[in-house]
Structures are given as structure tokens and as C-alpha cells.
Amino acid sequence: MRFHFSPKTPLFSLSSSSITSLCLRPFLPSAPKSPFYPSLACHVSTGGNLRMDSTSPDPSSSSSVSVDSVADGLKNQSLREHDISNNNNMNNENKKNNGKLSLEDLNWDHSFVRELPGDPRSDSIPRQVFHACYTKVLPSAEVENPKLVAWSDSVADLLDLDPKEFERPDFPLKFSGASPLAGAVPYAQCYGGHQFGTWAGQLGDGRAITLGEIMNSKLERWELQLKGAGKTPYSRFADGLAVLRSSIREYLCSEAMHFLGIPTTRALCLVTTGKFVTRDMFYDGNPKDEPGAVVCRVSQSFLRFGSFQIHASRGGEDLGIVRSLADYAIRHHFPHIENMSKSESLSFSTGDNDQSVVDLTSNKYAAWTVEIAERTASLVARWQGVGFTHGVLNTDNMSILGLTIDYGPFGFLDAFDPSYTPNVTDLPGRRYCFANQPDIGLWNIAQFASTLMTANLISDQEANYAMERYGTKFMDDYQAILSQKLGLQKYNKQLVNKLLSNLAVDKVDYTNFFRALSNIKADPSIPGDELLVPLKAVLLDIGKERKEAWTSWVQSYIQELVASGISDEERKASMNSVNPKYVLRNYLCQSAIDAAEMGDFEEVRRLLKVMERPYDEQPRMEKYARLPPAWAYRPGVCMLSCSS
């Protein structure tokens, strides 16, 4: 499949139908005419086959490495079918603290390994793994007096885990992977992906090991995963470990994004291993030893676009795995789609031709694809709203649940720069820069849709409809978000475009500007020389010409506010509820990392507490809303590599 994005049309001038003006060439991102909104145009060719140009070597002929008795016990553990109703009628003696559980009493389920094909081998020798969705493998990171240094009570609550369990002496051993967790069946997932637009073949969990799924008292399924727990068959030439700096960043950002209201994976805890890991942070031939760590990630599923791509790329019998995996995902994570009926009449026209109709009730896979597209579009719109740049939007880093996943070289905008990328590897083409994220989201959806076409699960018409829905959903959500950030009841394209242009020209801090904007009064009688007083703290070092440009914009903005008829007090409260005062700026992360590498984790914990209330004023915490200091622009702070 080949795809192309046209950079010629500013996003908000697109109609939903224009998303289908599509041609087929490899995506090579170029600077959009509008520096803020890339165009959204993509198409799947009729009857095409997925071509990823990867060749897979034969499976290793070497015999499986023998494993210790713990591995044997896990390998032979019965994966019985769980009767959920019985599991929820646990004996009272197994519960404590108002229904909260000990680690031993967590309600494990293992649907992924029970219902999907697995690797017959259980060793961690790097190799191509065929005809399997996972490999059972034990955590193997070496530890020396591991320590629990940060934890989340709110994530523990999702699991019905008693927060007192964090105080257990053996907790660091269990969540570094050094000691088995009762009931867990560890495995690493097999997946592939497009990296920077090029098919990379098999990737997989190279340093993440899933322990299993927890069913909580609300019948919610939560997957626990240790990142940095050791080698797997998917580690390739790497060591399967993670360093403290990257683990702190992932731990803090996954929680910060949750409290911003953005769908994300979560983090239960962070454990230091007591061992050092060698890393070349900038890939410049200067490696150094860094403290090792393991973060426990939590998500309802870690399935990615690449989880399906790898099997479609191999063709043949593996196309059946794509269907099985889709059935599994729908059954456990999209059950409403499984239960759709014809009476819902979810039929949509895809063009002027009356024959061009997509009936989502006649094909659950089409309905599923559309929902994934819309979830992804909504997620990206929310990123754009808070100025978040993911940095590595490869298809293996795209969640089918529409979650932010895999925090590497991410960054929140400081000075507004649409071309900002926090990833040094992305610098040559800035494929994953802030302004390109909407287009990249669509490109990734196109790859996912073509995967399902290859497996004969959806038609090209259904694939194109899913991409059309992505464009429509993104524009609807983003326009609504911008209107809320401005305190307006309806979207004003001209006002928004002029604002974003001004922000870029004067490199205004994105977060602080919108927070300060709520101080503008809806009073057209304010003298012109006083209009910018509420924005004085964010409009820094601007000359006369730029002051005039901003004054003109504020005058237009006040006219919109007056027309809305909302009181200043009500609008300010509403705007402050969507415009955070605090975001996890990279320099804040680095300050916490610097202290942690010296053995002081108080700043990590303090920073997490601030990020748990991003929309509140939080007196005495104002320093966490300050502009980045000069040192924040050094390499390794404002921009990072994928090294972890």
C-alpha cells in the first residue's frame, strides 16, 4: 500500500468529503503551507496488497534454553477459564482495608495467552518469532538491593490493591522482576511497525514483559507490564533494560497526562534496580553508565497497530492470526461492537454515488476500524490542545484503544513552535513535529486499515470511510477544544488562525498564554494602551509593531467575548478548567532526574503531586509554572534521543 498526504490545504478549510481526495505514494512529510495545521488526505488503493518489503529469516534451529524451576512452574501453570462471578465473591478473609487486596489476592486473568497463539519456545534468545502473538519469558534484570522510589495510589485503586502493599519489604523485588509475583504468567508481545515511515519488520516487546491481566471489582481488565525487566526474543541487539532517567520520564508523564484528562497508559510504581546500565544517550560514541530502573506500566491493553501488522506482513496462515487478534480485541475491549444489531442502522454514504454506502452493522471489523480511527483522532486533538508532542509516532507506538503509549523523547511546547520536535532522531525531516501529528495519526490509521484489508476483514471502501471519519473527528474535536480554550461558545477560524500566527511569530509560551488569557475582560471600553496588561507576563520583548498586532487581536477577541454573553467570572473558571497552569515541561523532568541520580527522589514525588492537579492554582507551587531556564535548552533536556 502506498499513501500520500497533500500539504497544500490548511486543516480547517477541509470538508469531511475532501479527506477522500487521495493518491498513492510513500509519505514524505514536507513543511505544510500553514505552519499549524497539516492537511489530512489519505487513501487505500482498491484491491491492493500490503507490501512491507521485509524478509524474515527462518526460525532459529537451536534448541530452547533450559530455564529454572520458577520458569517451569509458570510454563506449566493451568490457564483455567475464569468464572468472573465466582472470582468476585472472594472470601472476606482475603480482603482487607474496605475490599482492597494484597498482592497474593489480586484477581488474575490471562485471556491474552489463553485465547491467542503463543511461541512454543520460552527462551529469550533474539530471533524471529513466527505464527505467535507472544512468547512466555521471565523477567531477568539483575538487581542489587532494589528500592521502590515512587508509586501511585490512584493506580493501585484501579487494581483494588491495598496501598499498604507498597510498604512490603519484598515489593521492590517483585516489581523489579527479581521475585515472581503470585498468579502472574509473564510474556512479551510480538509486533512489528513502521518506524519513521519505513517498515521495520518484527519489533516486539524488547524490554517490556507483561505479567498478566488483573480483573478488578468493576470487572475492568488491567494489564501489568514491567518495562526494563530484561531480555526477550524481541530485544534484537539490546539488553532489555531501562535507565532511571527514561523511567522517571515515563512514570511522571503517564500520570501527568491522565490528570490532564488525556487518555494514556498509567504507571503503578518505579523501582531502582541498584545496578548500572550502559547507554549512549546521543548515539555519538560516548556511552556512560547510568542507574537502572523498572517502571510498572498499567493499561487495559498494550495492543498496538503493529500487533496486527506483523502477521499481515507475513501472509499465508498468519492472516488468520490477524482475524483472531481482531476478534480478541473486539470481544474484550470493544464488546459493544460485538453486540451491534441491524436495528441500529449504522449506514453512511461515502460519496455522491448512491451505491457508495458503508453499513457498519454488517461488518463488525469495519465498525471497529472506524472506532479506532475516531479514538485516535480524538487523542491527537487533545495532544494539540495541551501542546504535547509525542516524538515517536511509529505504528508500533499507536494504541488500538486510543491511548498515549510509549513515552520516549516527548515534550510539551514551551515557546509556540509548530515545527518543534523533542526527538533528536527526528531532526532531519521533523516527521513527528507538533504540527505534523494530525497527519501522522491519519497515516498510521491508513497502515492499520490496509493491514485489515490484507486479511480480508474490511473493504477498501470501509477503509476509506474510517480515514474520512478520522479527519472529521479530528477537526470537530480540535475546533471544540480551541473554542473552550478561548472561552468561546463557537469556533472562530479567523480569530484562531491569527492567534496561532501571533504566538509563533513572538514565540509565546503556549501553556502560560492560554492561562493568562482568562484574565481578559469582556469590556470594549478598555483603552487600547491597556488591552495587553493582562498578558504582560507572557508577551515578552515585543516591539511596537508586534504590540499593535496583539492589540488588534485582543480587540477582535473582546468582541467575540461580548457577543457570547458569558460573565467574566464564569468564563475565567471555565477557561482555567481546560487550560492547565502546570504541564510536565522537560526541564522539570530533568531537575527531578538530576536529584534522583544523586539518590534524592523527593523532587520526583513532589513533581507528581503538582501534576496531579494541573488546573488548580496551587499556591506556593508557582515555580513549576515558570518558563524554562537557560540551561533547559541544552541537549538532553529540551531534546532527547530514543535511548533508554
Side-chain angles (χ1 to χ4, degrees), residues 26 68 302 432 455 522 534:
D68 57 26
F302 285 97
Y432 296 145

Side-chain angles (χ1 to χ4, degrees), residues 90-160:
M90 295 178 179
N91 293 330
N92 289 333
E93 60 266 26
N94 286 339
K95 297 186 178 183
K96 51 185 184 176
N97 193 22
N98 296 323
K100 298 304 180 184
L101 306 175
S102 69
L103 291 176
E104 288 76 14
D105 295 323
L106 289 173
N107 186 20
W108 289 94
D109 188 30
H110 300 290
S111 65
F112 195 83
V113 298
R114 185 173 66 243
E115 300 175 22
L116 294 167
D119 182 1
R121 294 170 54 177
S122 59
D123 61 85
S124 59
I125 297 174
R127 63 186 187 276
Q128 292 290 307
V129 176
F130 294 93
H131 319 310
C133 294
Y134 64 89
T135 301
K136 290 183 184 178
V137 61
L138 286 176
S140 60
E142 293 184 8
V143 303
E144 184 175 323
N145 191 23
K147 289 182 168 54
L148 174 67
V149 295
W151 57 91
S152 170
D153 289 341
S154 67
V155 176
D157 189 57
L158 292 177
L159 308 175
D160 296 333

Side-chain angles (χ1 to χ4, degrees), residues 256-274:
M257 292 287 273
H258 169 73
F259 288 104
L260 282 168
I262 298 174
T264 178
T265 58
R266 303 291 302 277
L268 175 65
C269 61
L270 174 64
V271 174
T272 56
T273 63

Side-chain angles (χ1 to χ4, degrees), residues 149-152 248 251-253 255-256 259 270 582-585 587-596 599-614 616-625:
V149 295
W151 57 91
S152 170
I248 287 175
Y251 172 78
L252 287 175
C253 200
E255 292 303 283
F259 288 104
L270 174 64
Y582 304 97
V583 294
L584 191 66
R585 299 174 188 264
Y587 86 89
L588 296 176
C589 270
Q590 192 59 46
S591 295
I593 291 167
D594 289 343
D600 180 4
F601 290 89
E602 281 306 309
E603 185 60 19
V604 172
R605 299 168 192 143
R606 188 180 302 113
L607 185 54
L608 176 61
K609 290 299 180 185
V610 173
M611 295 303 149
E612 287 177 347
R613 297 166 52 205
D616 295 347
E617 285 296 325
Q618 300 192 60
R620 299 185 299 279
M621 293 297 172
E622 287 84 357
K623 70 175 184 178
Y624 293 99

Side-chain angles (χ1 to χ4, degrees), residues 3-5 25-30 431 443:
F3 305 95
H4 172 70
F5 291 91
R25 282 181 291 173
F27 172 58
L28 296 174
S30 56
R431 175 186 177 88
W443 193 86

